[in-house]
Every structure is written in structure tokens, then in C-alpha cells.
Amino acid sequence: MPVHERIVILTGAGLSAESGLSTFRDKDGIWSRHRIEDVATPEAFSRDPERVLEFYNTRRKSAAGVKPNAAHVALAKLEQEHPGEVLTVTQNIDPLHEMAGARNLIHMHGEILKKLCAYCGAKEPWEDDLSTELVCRTCNKAGGMRPDVVWFGEMPYQMEEIALALGACDLFISIGTSGTVYPAAGFVMEARNAGAHTVELNLEPSEGATLFAKAIHGKATEIVPAFVDELL
Ligand code: OAD
């Protein structure tokens, strides 16, 4: 494989599946047990904040104690050892990329281990449950504390930075994502328009599988380290 100068990696829930975290759209995934409109929209938070906070409290608890797997470790090694630039853009709200050592990382859908005040926008690291009684330390109002995660209908984070990286990359790799949620699902087209080589690494062909120049199917802990070895 030629040396690529600028690599953008997009990751999704399939990357963390073998660390023990549920995916969303697999048979027993999170969206088979909950309706998006009940727990993952700003309207749901206005209507029934306790329910929304409880959903994310459960997810925060399930993320406690999980460890990065061989795929996260391989991607962090790629960032550290590749002579070119490597940017990882993750849709995952878990901290497994950074725990594995990734530094050039964008959490486009936010982070479960941070809280965000809906009133004043203050953000802070947060590992405990959130409740409607919690008072913001910045604006002193109660009732607005929410997880710092992007809900359906909200704009993902750092989109300008991501667009610039996609427009300049020569290799785009999509890992463990079903390719159903935009804008992330459209990144492959942005990378293709920039002339990049595009590769999908996933358990099965994603929704957008035909948009990639190359696809490798299998478990992330097996195919990602092998692909990284090939790149290095
Ligand atoms: P999905 O659950 O939609 O897709 C996960 C993908 O990972 C599927 O295509 C699986 O086949 C694949 N997969 C499962 N186990 C795997 C393994 N061990 N190795 C490799 N691949 C595996 O999750 P996402 O695409 O990440 O957003 O979902 C995107 C967004 O939708 C999430 O960030 C979240 C969700 O609703 C918000 O909540 C805003």
C-alpha cells in the first residue's frame, strides 16, 4: 500500500462492541430496546428529562470499567507511528479511543463522561448519575444538566474541522459503523470527492458499502490490527 499523507478514520459502535458495549442497530442493539424519540432528542429532554437522564445514566454505568480492545489499540498505534497525519473522528461517546492512547481525536457525537448545562453551555467532566435536581456550577440553575452528547436534531461537534480534514485526506477508513446516520454517513463521499482511497472495515457490508473502493469484513479486533500492520 502506498504511504498516505493524510488519513481520516471514522469509527462507530461496532469498534467498541468487543469491549462489551452495545451497538445501536444490531438485533439486540440499543435501538431495539428504546425509541430514539423517547431518549435521544432535545424534545424528549424537554418532555421527560428524568427518562432521558436515566437512559444516559445507564449508558454511563455500562461504560465504567470497560477497556479498549485490540482495534482501539491498533488505531492509536497508527496515529503514533504513521509518518503522515492521522485524525480519528468517532461517533462513539465512550472514552475507549483516548484510553488506548489516541490524541488526534474528535468526538463528533460528544462524550458520555462529560455534562453540559442546557442553559449556559458550561461543560465539565462527569462520572456520576445526572439528575434534574443538579445545579450548574456556572449559572447556578437547576434542571438543565444533560450529558454532553449530541442528540438527533442537533449539530454534531467540530464539523468544520472534519470537513477540512476530509477535503484534504488521501485515505478514508470507516470502521464499525452501519452508515445510516448523517452527516457521518456522508463522509465517504466527501473523501471520495477529495480523491481519497476509501476502505470500509465492518462485520458486514454497511448501508453505504458500495461507496467504498475496498471493503474488509470481520470482527474489528481481527481486521483492524491486520489492516494497521499493512499500513505501517
Ligand atoms: P450501529 O449500531 O448503527 O452500527 C454498528 C455497526 O457495527 C454495524 O454495521 C455492525 O455490523 C458493526 N459491528 C458490530 N459488531 C462489530 C464488530 N465486532 N466488529 C466490527 N463491526 C461490528 O452504530 P453506529 O453506526 O455507530 O448516534 O451508529 C451511528 C450513530 O447512531 C451513533 O453514534 C448514535 C446512533 O443513534 C446518536 O445517538 C446521535
Side-chain angles (χ1 to χ4, degrees), residues 36-76:
I36 288 175
E37 54 272 37
D38 289 337
V39 295
T41 66
E43 293 76 20
F45 186 60
S46 307
R47 204 170 48 237
D48 192 347
E50 275 93 2
R51 181 174 187 175
V52 172
L53 294 180
E54 187 48 40
F55 172 73
Y56 287 98
N57 287 343
T58 304
R59 300 200 53 212
R60 195 178 301 99
K61 282 193 192 100
S62 63
V66 293
K67 296 202 169 60
N69 63 47
H72 297 100
V73 171
L75 294 177

Side-chain angles (χ1 to χ4, degrees), residues 12-14 17-18 23-26 31 91-92 109 150 152 176-181 202-204 218-220:
E18 291 165 81
T23 58
F24 292 95
R25 294 174 184 78
D26 289 306
W31 297 148
Q91 298 169 89
N92 298 341
H109 289 169
V150 175
F152 286 87
T177 174
S178 59
T180 47
V181 176
N202 205 45
L203 195 57
E204 60 194 3
K219 289 181 173 181

